[in-house]
Every structure is written in structure tokens, then in C-alpha cells.
Amino acid sequence: MKYSFLYDDCIYTYEINETNKEEVLEKIKEYAILDTVEKKSCGFSSVIKRILLNEIKANCDEILEYDSKESGGNGRYGGPLDVHIVAIVKKYPILYHIIKDSQSLPKLLDYLKGNLPIRKAYRSDSVFQLVRSINEIKTGSSNEDKFNYDVNIGLDDKIQIVQNYISGLQFHLVKTQTLEEIRKDIDWLKSTEMFDYNSQQAFIMKQSQQLEEARKNTEVFQELCQLSDLNFNDIVEDVKKFTKTK
């Protein structure tokens, strides 16, 4: 994944590798919730059974075991039957899906702070639902609602997991652009007659969006580091030192 950060009056763009991602995901799986799911329908046995199992798979992460029963109808002669499936399934924590699928630092921060309702999908991209394993908490000091995701995981454990994940991120600097260089590019574009007004405005808007994105990414990552008891400056300084010695 690629992120840009703003510090020292420069925009630094990094390619970030998740070196310990699988290890972190395996740890999060330990907090999976067991659930029993029942599905019923009527139709031709093999077809309905496959459809019901697919519906169950689309709304969980693992099917540990299942039992299916058929009744009624005239299945003996190939007709429709009542099919009933009971399955024991595993549902991984929301934190698992954020790290595995979204690779989003802002969403990771929203998860820890409980600022926003987070949506996710199971294996079927078309099946989106509001996360159910949350507690809504009134803050008392404000009228805003907070969301406590993965209520079966203690806050200290959540922070430890996020800390391990961030500690395993490997930063590779791919581009550096100073704010002065950006300003000069904009001034040059305004002064030249090679580009029309619309092209100039599109370029300026693109630069502004890049700057705002880098600023926001920096704020998010700094707060994530603070919540995880990590030092943002140490991380970026190590990257700059490594880059200069290559």
C-alpha cells in the first residue's frame, strides 16, 4: 500500500509493506466468535443445499461443521424437498477484516476511537452489512455516540495488536517533494502560455488534494502511533536515514 505524509515542509511518499501481517491475523483469529446458523428452503435437494451453504459462507469466515436434513415433498422421484441446514461457524473480529482487506490506516484509527460506524463485507463483495458486534456507548461529555467494536477483545489487547501491526510496517521512500517545489511548479504553470486556464486549475487542484491527503495521513498515523505507544518521528527518521545511506 502507498501513503504520503507531510512533515519537515516536504511530502514524503512511501510504499509500505506489511511484514508481519499473517502473524497478526492469526493472533486476531484467536478472538473469533462461534455462532450457530440455520437456513431453510424448499426445492431440488442438491441445488437448494448448495444455495443455502453459499448463503452461510457469505456471512461468516469459516464453516466448522454442518448438518443437513431433508423432509416432505416427493424427493424420491426427483421432486422438491424441504431442506434444513444447521451450521457451526466462526466469525472473525472486525479488526481482522480491517487489516486483511481494507489496509486502511484511517479505518484502523476509527476502529480504536469508535468515531464512525464501520461497514464490512464477508466473502461476497455484494453482501454488506452494518457490523453487529458493537456496543453503542454514550460518552457523557458530549452528545456524540461512540462504538466499541469487538466487545470480546479488551482495549489493551486491541492496542497491543495494532502496535504489533504498525511495528511490522516496512517503509520504502519512493518520492520526496518539497512544498517550495510545489509552489514553484504552480507559479510556473500560471506564467506559461502552454496550458489553458482549465488545465492550470486542474493541476492546482491536484496539488492541493495531494497536500491535504498527505496532511490527513500524517495526522492519522501520528494519532495511531500515539494510541499504540509508538513514536511517529522515530519511524520516519529511521526511514530517512536508511534512504540516505542506500
Coordinates of all heavy atoms in Angstrom, one line a residue, residues 221-231:
F221 N -1.8 8.9 11.2 CA -0.7 7.9 11.6 C -0.1 8.4 12.9 O 0.3 7.6 13.7 CB 0.4 7.9 10.5 CG 1.3 6.7 10.7 CD1 0.9 5.4 10.7 CD2 2.7 6.9 10.8 CE1 1.7 4.3 10.8 CE2 3.5 5.8 11.0 CZ 3.1 4.5 11.0
Q222 N 0.1 9.7 13.1 CA 0.6 10.2 14.3 C -0.3 9.8 15.5 O 0.2 9.4 16.6 CB 0.7 11.7 14.3 CG 1.9 12.2 13.5 CD 2.0 13.7 13.4 OE1 1.0 14.4 13.4 NE2 3.2 14.3 13.4
E223 N -1.6 9.9 15.3 CA -2.6 9.5 16.4 C -2.5 8.0 16.6 O -2.6 7.6 17.8 CB -4.0 10.0 16.0 CG -4.9 10.0 17.2 CD -6.2 10.8 17.0 OE1 -6.3 11.4 15.9 OE2 -7.0 10.8 17.9
L224 N -2.4 7.2 15.5 CA -2.3 5.8 15.7 C -1.1 5.4 16.5 O -1.1 4.6 17.4 CB -2.3 5.1 14.3 CG -3.6 4.7 13.7 CD1 -3.4 4.1 12.3 CD2 -4.3 3.6 14.6
C225 N 0.0 6.1 16.2 CA 1.3 5.8 16.9 C 1.1 6.2 18.4 O 1.6 5.5 19.3 CB 2.4 6.6 16.3 SG 3.0 5.9 14.7
Q226 N 0.5 7.3 18.6 CA 0.3 7.8 20.0 C -0.6 6.8 20.8 O -0.2 6.5 21.9 CB -0.4 9.2 20.0 CG -0.5 9.8 21.4 CD -1.2 11.2 21.3 OE1 -1.6 11.6 20.3 NE2 -1.2 11.8 22.4
L227 N -1.7 6.3 20.2 CA -2.5 5.4 20.9 C -1.8 4.0 21.1 O -2.2 3.3 22.0 CB -3.8 5.1 20.0 CG -4.8 6.3 20.0 CD1 -5.9 6.0 19.0 CD2 -5.4 6.5 21.4
S228 N -0.9 3.7 20.2 CA -0.2 2.4 20.3 C 1.1 2.6 21.0 O 1.9 1.6 21.0 CB 0.0 1.9 18.9 OG -1.2 1.8 18.2
D229 N 1.4 3.7 21.6 CA 2.6 4.0 22.4 C 3.9 3.8 21.5 O 4.9 3.2 21.9 CB 2.7 3.0 23.6 CG 3.7 3.5 24.6 OD1 4.0 4.7 24.6 OD2 4.3 2.7 25.4
L230 N 3.8 4.3 20.2 CA 4.9 4.3 19.3 C 5.2 5.7 19.0 O 4.4 6.6 19.1 CB 4.6 3.5 18.0 CG 4.3 2.0 18.2 CD1 3.7 1.4 16.9 CD2 5.5 1.3 18.6
N231 N 6.5 6.0 18.5 CA 6.9 7.3 18.2 C 6.9 7.5 16.7 O 7.8 6.9 16.0 CB 8.3 7.6 18.8 CG 8.7 9.0 18.8 OD1 8.6 9.7 17.7 ND2 9.1 9.6 19.9

